[in-house]
Amino acid sequence: MTLTNEEYVDSLYGADADLERTKAGIAANGMPDISVADGYGRLLTMLVSLTKARNIVEIGALGGYSGICLARGLPEGGKLVSLELLQKYADVAKTHMEAAGLGDKVEYRVGDAKQSLAELQAEGLKFDFFFIDADKEGYPIYLDYAIALAEPGAVIVGDNILLRGRTTDPAKTGPSVRAVRSFNEIIASDARLQSTVLPGYDGLAIAIVK
């Protein structure tokens, strides 16, 4: 059987005990199987390392898979602020982060991410890396906050920007699709950003704040 490009790439890498434990925990807790793709998880770790990011905002913790990938790239003293709507999900994510030896690098803020982002802004905090992987209708708002909270040169990454084919289907016009299309258009055209979009897996947008 011929592998997809993504399946072939993933087959090159061995199992990762921390991430496999996290996937199993997500399933065991009845949570949706919507963590960042394995290949993009590896990319997140690399991007954090390459940019020498020290302060990260993650919008959407789920079960901690992306949090582990992000925190692995942080230097000593680096911090991940993870925003999660549901307390149960944040608790599961924290358990997995601690099992991976990264619990000291993460702070969870539970509740509506828009409110949490407004609080970060009110606190005068700035960040050098953002990962957006939450409710799709909120993507344009999350992008606005990321730009406002960004240090010059900060990286903004958005996952699932193809919505499993819905983004590119003109017949799809639901609120999530419209929001993600708007997010993609802003990423591509905003003069404050330098960006690209990767079409593999379910699509990944990467931007640098000028």
Side-chain angles (χ1 to χ4, degrees), residues 127-130 146 150-156 207-210:
F127 299 87
D128 44 26
F129 201 101
F130 300 83
E151 297 277 13
V155 172
I156 302 171
I208 298 171
V209 180
K210 295 180 181 177

Side-chain angles (χ1 to χ4, degrees), residues 77-165:
K79 194 74 175 180
L80 168 66
V81 177
S82 185
L83 311 182
E84 174 52 54
L85 178 64
L86 302 175
Q87 184 67 59
K88 175 187 174 181
Y89 286 13
D91 291 344
V92 171
K94 183 177 181 181
T95 296
H96 292 143
M97 291 287 285
E98 289 175 345
L102 298 165
D104 62 330
K105 291 183 179 290
V106 62
E107 170 197 343
Y108 290 98
R109 297 199 181 199
V110 177
D112 187 297
K114 301 175 191 69
Q115 180 61 38
S116 296
L117 289 162
E119 290 169 0
L120 293 175
Q121 189 173 32
E123 292 167 27
L125 299 176
K126 291 288 186 179
F127 299 87
D128 44 26
F129 201 101
F130 300 83
F131 180 55
I132 303 171
D133 191 10
D135 62 292
K136 306 314 174 194
E137 289 182 48
Y139 266 41
I141 297 169
Y142 300 148
L143 180 57
D144 283 343
Y145 270 113
I147 294 171
L149 290 164
E151 297 277 13
V155 172
I156 302 171
V157 180
D159 195 22
N160 305 119
I161 52 85
L162 296 180
L163 294 174
R164 293 178 171 80

Side-chain angles (χ1 to χ4, degrees), residues 169-207:
D169 184 349
K172 302 296 185 183
T173 58
S176 293
V177 175
R178 294 199 306 271
V180 169
R181 285 175 182 153
S182 175
F183 173 89
N184 293 342
E185 289 159 9
I186 296 167
I187 282 281
S189 63
D190 194 300
R192 295 169 294 178
L193 304 174
Q194 177 184 0
S195 71
T196 192
V197 174
L198 305 180
Y201 298 98
D202 196 30
L204 196 77
I206 305 173

Side-chain angles (χ1 to χ4, degrees), residues 17-31:
D18 293 329
L19 297 179
E20 291 301 318
R21 182 192 309 114
T22 299
K23 287 180 182 179
I26 288 171
N29 281 278
M31 298 162 69

Side-chain angles (χ1 to χ4, degrees), residues 33-105:
D33 181 19
I34 54 172
S35 298
V36 66
D38 293 349
Y40 285 159
R42 291 187 292 269
L43 179 59
L44 288 178
T45 302
M46 291 178 65
L47 287 173
V48 173
S49 296
L50 285 167
T51 58
K52 296 180 170 55
R54 296 189 62 84
N55 296 290
I56 302 174
V57 171
E58 173 187 44
I59 305 172
L62 191 64
Y65 187 104
S66 57
I68 290 172
C69 295
L70 292 163
R72 281 176 170 176
L74 283 169
E76 190 69 31
K79 194 74 175 180
L80 168 66
V81 177
S82 185
L83 311 182
E84 174 52 54
L85 178 64
L86 302 175
Q87 184 67 59
K88 175 187 174 181
Y89 286 13
D91 291 344
V92 171
K94 183 177 181 181
T95 296
H96 292 143
M97 291 287 285
E98 289 175 345
L102 298 165
D104 62 330
K105 291 183 179 290

